Amino acid sequence: MGNITEDLFAMYWKKLSVRGNFAPTKQITCYWTDHPFQRHKIISESFGGGLNFYRKYYDVGIPIKLRVYSEKFIDEKKMYNKYTNIKVTPVTSHPLKILIVGELAYNPERIIALEEYGHKLYGLWIERPQYSFQTVGPLPFGNIEDIPIDDWENRIKKIQPDIIYGLLNTAAIPLAYDVLCKFKDIPFVWHFKEGPSIALRTGLWKELLYLYTFSDGKIFINETIKEWYHQFIPSKGLSLILDGDLPKNDFFNSNFSQKLSASGTGIHTLVAGRMIGIDFSIWKTFINKDIHIHVYTESYIITKEKLFNEMKRMAPNHFHLHKHCPHDKWVEEFSKYDAGWLHAIDSSNNGNLMQASWDDLNIPARISTYAAAGLPMILKDNTNHIVATHKKVKELDIGIFFQNYGDLERQLKDEVKMKNLRTNVISSRAQFHFDYHVSNLISFFEKVIKSKKSK
């Protein structure tokens, strides 16, 4: 940042300088206060802000370059360059008008795949994202048309969308609920990810169950959570299984790199995101066995600084912190490693679905990142419990299930096993991107529309 006086002059006073000279009054005319819409609180994730709140608050519809704090810099112009001013060649003869209500969370550029099929998109966005990853418009890519929050009822009546698509996390529940209640004549699909426990804590449980009960179409992020919801809502009606924030297929390229371990420097494992379920006792096994952990987690460096410093002190040559890796570098950067850590949780539900926690029901977003890079996935062995991630990884045979760190070390060094797992990941990785599922999603929309008309 430059000289403060110069910055203030550039931001404010320059516009007044043409009207005359400045003169001091020697009187106090303003003072510093504390409120949620101060610029630093809108920008900084440390104060509950971030790029998406900044975008929404200032109505910025072009790509943004923003440093939200010292360790995190976002360059949307670079991220979304190929998706700006896109020209769509429709692949369908029956385009739909799709109104998206809520927020898009991770990998928001995936919705361009809907435009590539020739469908017209509209967006009605929440006013205040709860978390920095909850993407809202105006979007810096694609051709989506935004609906103003202060006139959404009239605009929806005028547009008459073929279908309303509500998504994706807890912050979207109130708006989606209001829209569903107001427009019962328009087919409505509800797609929810994270998470029912948060909805319960924040007093939105009733609205969440209403959305899943009375929506014309219901999308669940996996079979396990669908069964869990059916403890509370009717199991009838049209439904689909689809994860909520899958990346676009563009990032599933073939730019694979040579393994670091190929040079004889030990085994190298990856954490893309938060480090969950890894404790200090890991070093007793890993340091002696020459196994490394590489962490890419720019959003949590401040809160985990003490932990990271201690791990670096204990294992200076085996614990590595890295800068943010953009989507288009996932394959090139992450394929250097031997395996990727999912959430290493210890489940305690003992097969009782009612006792399942959010960690048991969720499938973390990083699973798609690892799949793109062809990495086998590391997770705890929860054989006697109901765990959605455990079930999916086991069905595809793409992961290492460990009981203790010694067990994990033995499996990581089993060359035949690791080769087979890598082959399985590569062969199944397409199903981890959004484009793979678009035709099914559109078919589901069409079924919902047809079913609504027949009532």
mmCIF file of all heavy atoms in Angstrom, residues 15 40 69 104 117 143 178 184 333 351 356 364 366 387 391 410 414 452:
data_model
loop_
_atom_site.group_PDB
_atom_site.id
_atom_site.type_symbol
_atom_site.label_atom_id
_atom_site.label_comp_id
_atom_site.label_asym_id
_atom_site.label_seq_id
_atom_site.Cartn_x
_atom_site.Cartn_y
_atom_site.Cartn_z
ATOM 1 N N LYS A 15 -11.698 14.111 -6.546
ATOM 2 C CA LYS A 15 -12.969 14.461 -7.172
ATOM 3 C C LYS A 15 -13.443 15.854 -6.746
ATOM 4 O O LYS A 15 -14.249 16.484 -7.430
ATOM 5 C CB LYS A 15 -14.030 13.417 -6.815
ATOM 6 C CG LYS A 15 -13.738 12.033 -7.376
ATOM 7 C CD LYS A 15 -14.820 11.039 -6.990
ATOM 8 C CE LYS A 15 -14.529 9.665 -7.562
ATOM 9 N NZ LYS A 15 -15.565 8.670 -7.192
ATOM 10 N N HIS A 40 -12.956 -2.489 5.469
ATOM 11 C CA HIS A 40 -12.025 -3.570 5.826
ATOM 12 C C HIS A 40 -12.775 -4.831 6.245
ATOM 13 O O HIS A 40 -12.293 -5.942 6.033
ATOM 14 C CB HIS A 40 -11.065 -3.109 6.930
ATOM 15 C CG HIS A 40 -11.681 -2.967 8.284
ATOM 16 N ND1 HIS A 40 -12.478 -1.903 8.621
ATOM 17 C CD2 HIS A 40 -11.606 -3.759 9.391
ATOM 18 C CE1 HIS A 40 -12.874 -2.035 9.881
ATOM 19 N NE2 HIS A 40 -12.360 -3.148 10.363
ATOM 20 N N TYR A 69 -6.205 -11.133 2.652
ATOM 21 C CA TYR A 69 -5.234 -10.955 3.721
ATOM 22 C C TYR A 69 -3.871 -11.354 3.188
ATOM 23 O O TYR A 69 -3.742 -11.745 2.030
ATOM 24 C CB TYR A 69 -5.602 -11.709 5.009
ATOM 25 C CG TYR A 69 -5.956 -13.171 4.853
ATOM 26 C CD1 TYR A 69 -4.993 -14.152 4.727
ATOM 27 C CD2 TYR A 69 -7.295 -13.572 4.875
ATOM 28 C CE1 TYR A 69 -5.323 -15.479 4.607
ATOM 29 C CE2 TYR A 69 -7.630 -14.914 4.761
ATOM 30 C CZ TYR A 69 -6.645 -15.854 4.634
ATOM 31 O OH TYR A 69 -6.987 -17.176 4.518
ATOM 32 N N LEU A 104 -23.474 -20.440 -5.036
ATOM 33 C CA LEU A 104 -22.876 -21.536 -5.801
ATOM 34 C C LEU A 104 -21.715 -22.227 -5.104
ATOM 35 O O LEU A 104 -21.203 -23.229 -5.600
ATOM 36 C CB LEU A 104 -22.391 -21.009 -7.160
ATOM 37 C CG LEU A 104 -23.488 -20.512 -8.105
ATOM 38 C CD1 LEU A 104 -22.872 -19.813 -9.312
ATOM 39 C CD2 LEU A 104 -24.380 -21.667 -8.549
ATOM 40 N N TYR A 117 -25.000 -26.122 -22.943
ATOM 41 C CA TYR A 117 -26.094 -26.933 -23.458
ATOM 42 C C TYR A 117 -27.188 -26.074 -24.082
ATOM 43 O O TYR A 117 -28.164 -26.589 -24.625
ATOM 44 C CB TYR A 117 -26.686 -27.794 -22.342
ATOM 45 C CG TYR A 117 -26.039 -29.152 -22.203
ATOM 46 C CD1 TYR A 117 -24.734 -29.283 -21.748
ATOM 47 C CD2 TYR A 117 -26.740 -30.312 -22.534
ATOM 48 C CE1 TYR A 117 -24.135 -30.520 -21.617
ATOM 49 C CE2 TYR A 117 -26.157 -31.561 -22.407
ATOM 50 C CZ TYR A 117 -24.846 -31.660 -21.949
ATOM 51 O OH TYR A 117 -24.252 -32.900 -21.825
ATOM 52 N N ASN A 143 -22.927 -15.819 -18.946
ATOM 53 C CA ASN A 143 -23.941 -14.870 -19.420
ATOM 54 C C ASN A 143 -25.164 -14.833 -18.511
ATOM 55 O O ASN A 143 -26.259 -14.502 -18.946
ATOM 56 C CB ASN A 143 -24.380 -15.263 -20.838
ATOM 57 C CG ASN A 143 -23.220 -15.350 -21.805
ATOM 58 O OD1 ASN A 143 -22.640 -14.344 -22.174
ATOM 59 N ND2 ASN A 143 -22.863 -16.565 -22.196
ATOM 60 N N ASP A 178 -38.452 -18.629 0.870
ATOM 61 C CA ASP A 178 -39.367 -17.548 0.489
ATOM 62 C C ASP A 178 -39.826 -17.696 -0.965
ATOM 63 O O ASP A 178 -41.007 -17.501 -1.273
ATOM 64 C CB ASP A 178 -38.695 -16.187 0.673
ATOM 65 C CG ASP A 178 -38.541 -15.805 2.137
ATOM 66 O OD1 ASP A 178 -39.206 -16.425 2.988
ATOM 67 O OD2 ASP A 178 -37.748 -14.883 2.431
ATOM 68 N N LYS A 184 -45.416 -21.309 -5.934
ATOM 69 C CA LYS A 184 -45.717 -22.742 -5.898
ATOM 70 C C LYS A 184 -46.118 -23.289 -7.262
ATOM 71 O O LYS A 184 -46.158 -24.511 -7.461
ATOM 72 C CB LYS A 184 -46.818 -23.014 -4.878
ATOM 73 C CG LYS A 184 -46.423 -22.713 -3.434
ATOM 74 C CD LYS A 184 -47.535 -23.074 -2.480
ATOM 75 C CE LYS A 184 -47.166 -22.745 -1.043
ATOM 76 N NZ LYS A 184 -46.045 -23.549 -0.547
ATOM 77 N N GLU A 333 0.374 -29.786 -10.525
ATOM 78 C CA GLU A 333 0.988 -29.620 -9.200
ATOM 79 C C GLU A 333 0.759 -30.819 -8.295
ATOM 80 O O GLU A 333 1.680 -31.351 -7.683
ATOM 81 C CB GLU A 333 0.426 -28.355 -8.541
ATOM 82 C CG GLU A 333 0.985 -28.050 -7.151
ATOM 83 C CD GLU A 333 2.417 -27.574 -7.168
ATOM 84 O OE1 GLU A 333 2.915 -27.241 -8.270
ATOM 85 O OE2 GLU A 333 3.054 -27.534 -6.094
ATOM 86 N N GLY A 351 -23.043 -47.738 13.132
ATOM 87 C CA GLY A 351 -24.058 -48.225 12.209
ATOM 88 C C GLY A 351 -25.444 -47.671 12.443
ATOM 89 O O GLY A 351 -26.395 -48.070 11.761
ATOM 90 N N ALA A 356 -25.440 -40.478 13.109
ATOM 91 C CA ALA A 356 -24.423 -40.017 12.150
ATOM 92 C C ALA A 356 -24.216 -38.511 12.260
ATOM 93 O O ALA A 356 -25.173 -37.739 12.326
ATOM 94 C CB ALA A 356 -24.840 -40.384 10.726
ATOM 95 N N PRO A 364 -16.224 -34.501 1.324
ATOM 96 C CA PRO A 364 -15.527 -33.208 1.181
ATOM 97 C C PRO A 364 -15.196 -32.868 -0.255
ATOM 98 O O PRO A 364 -14.942 -33.744 -1.089
ATOM 99 C CB PRO A 364 -14.256 -33.410 2.017
ATOM 100 C CG PRO A 364 -14.070 -34.885 2.107
ATOM 101 C CD PRO A 364 -15.442 -35.475 2.099
ATOM 102 N N ARG A 366 -12.607 -31.689 -1.596
ATOM 103 C CA ARG A 366 -11.260 -32.009 -2.082
ATOM 104 C C ARG A 366 -11.185 -33.367 -2.788
ATOM 105 O O ARG A 366 -10.209 -33.657 -3.471
ATOM 106 C CB ARG A 366 -10.260 -31.984 -0.925
ATOM 107 C CG ARG A 366 -10.389 -33.118 0.058
ATOM 108 C CD ARG A 366 -9.442 -32.989 1.228
ATOM 109 N NE ARG A 366 -9.791 -31.872 2.101
ATOM 110 C CZ ARG A 366 -9.159 -31.606 3.247
ATOM 111 N NH1 ARG A 366 -8.142 -32.346 3.613
ATOM 112 N NH2 ARG A 366 -9.533 -30.597 3.996
ATOM 113 N N VAL A 387 -20.402 -44.088 6.989
ATOM 114 C CA VAL A 387 -19.623 -42.917 6.586
ATOM 115 C C VAL A 387 -19.694 -42.810 5.062
ATOM 116 O O VAL A 387 -19.221 -43.688 4.347
ATOM 117 C CB VAL A 387 -18.153 -43.015 7.050
ATOM 118 C CG1 VAL A 387 -17.376 -41.780 6.627
ATOM 119 C CG2 VAL A 387 -18.074 -43.213 8.558
ATOM 120 N N LYS A 391 -17.827 -45.096 2.092
ATOM 121 C CA LYS A 391 -18.602 -45.924 1.160
ATOM 122 C C LYS A 391 -18.218 -45.649 -0.284
ATOM 123 O O LYS A 391 -17.999 -46.583 -1.073
ATOM 124 C CB LYS A 391 -20.094 -45.657 1.377
ATOM 125 C CG LYS A 391 -21.014 -46.445 0.447
ATOM 126 C CD LYS A 391 -22.471 -46.102 0.720
ATOM 127 C CE LYS A 391 -23.389 -46.882 -0.226
ATOM 128 N NZ LYS A 391 -24.823 -46.535 0.004
ATOM 129 N N ARG A 410 2.748 -48.775 5.935
ATOM 130 C CA ARG A 410 2.929 -50.032 5.191
ATOM 131 C C ARG A 410 2.174 -49.988 3.867
ATOM 132 O O ARG A 410 2.687 -50.440 2.830
ATOM 133 C CB ARG A 410 2.448 -51.210 6.039
ATOM 134 C CG ARG A 410 3.378 -51.562 7.202
ATOM 135 C CD ARG A 410 2.971 -52.869 7.862
ATOM 136 N NE ARG A 410 1.680 -52.755 8.531
ATOM 137 C CZ ARG A 410 1.520 -52.343 9.788
ATOM 138 N NH1 ARG A 410 2.576 -51.976 10.505
ATOM 139 N NH2 ARG A 410 0.320 -52.278 10.333
ATOM 140 N N ASP A 414 3.447 -49.976 -0.303
ATOM 141 C CA ASP A 414 3.098 -51.160 -1.083
ATOM 142 C C ASP A 414 2.938 -50.723 -2.544
ATOM 143 O O ASP A 414 1.893 -50.219 -2.959
ATOM 144 C CB ASP A 414 1.793 -51.754 -0.557
ATOM 145 C CG ASP A 414 1.422 -53.070 -1.237
ATOM 146 O OD1 ASP A 414 1.852 -53.295 -2.387
ATOM 147 O OD2 ASP A 414 0.681 -53.865 -0.636
ATOM 148 N N LYS A 452 -44.803 -31.629 -12.873
ATOM 149 C CA LYS A 452 -45.530 -30.472 -12.350
ATOM 150 C C LYS A 452 -46.738 -30.149 -13.238
ATOM 151 O O LYS A 452 -47.828 -29.831 -12.741
ATOM 152 C CB LYS A 452 -44.588 -29.271 -12.281
ATOM 153 C CG LYS A 452 -45.192 -28.031 -11.628
ATOM 154 C CD LYS A 452 -45.214 -28.165 -10.123
ATOM 155 C CE LYS A 452 -45.560 -26.853 -9.457
ATOM 156 N NZ LYS A 452 -45.611 -26.975 -7.989
#
